[in-house]
Amino acid sequence: MKSGEGIEMPFFLKIIASAFLLIYIFNPKIGWMISEGWKYKNAEPSEVYLIINRILAVAFLIIIWFLVR
């Protein structure tokens, strides 16, 4: 890899990752259920957890589409 080039990622992996990240952005509670909620009975994520995950999902989506080739 030459200097200034991004990391390569197959297009279909970008689509799959983007689908999961969009779930986290638009409905972070479902994202929480997929990643953490199945481990606990009668548990709810905190608002801070949901906000942080939404922000991180936006950041990762930007990274995947603009910094990764």
Side-chain angles (χ1 to χ4, degrees), residues 22-69:
L22 288 171
I23 290 171
Y24 269 98
I25 291 168
F26 292 111
N27 198 342
K29 212 171 212 182
I30 290 176
W32 178 81
M33 288 299 294
I34 291 170
S35 66
E36 301 292 329
W38 61 273
K39 299 176 189 175
Y40 309 103
K41 282 187 176 180
N42 301 325
E44 293 290 324
S46 69
E47 286 300 314
V48 173
Y49 180 89
L50 296 176
I51 291 168
I52 289 172
N53 273 340
R54 185 174 274 169
I55 292 168
L56 289 173
V58 169
F60 283 125
L61 197 60
I62 291 169
I63 289 169
I64 286 174
W65 285 103
F66 295 107
L67 297 180
V68 176
R69 292 189 312 130

Side-chain angles (χ1 to χ4, degrees), residues 9-19 61 64-65 68-69:
M9 181 179 198
F11 186 73
F12 73 94
L13 285 179
K14 283 185 176 183
I15 297 297
I16 293 169
S18 295
L61 197 60
I64 286 174
W65 285 103
V68 176
R69 292 189 312 130

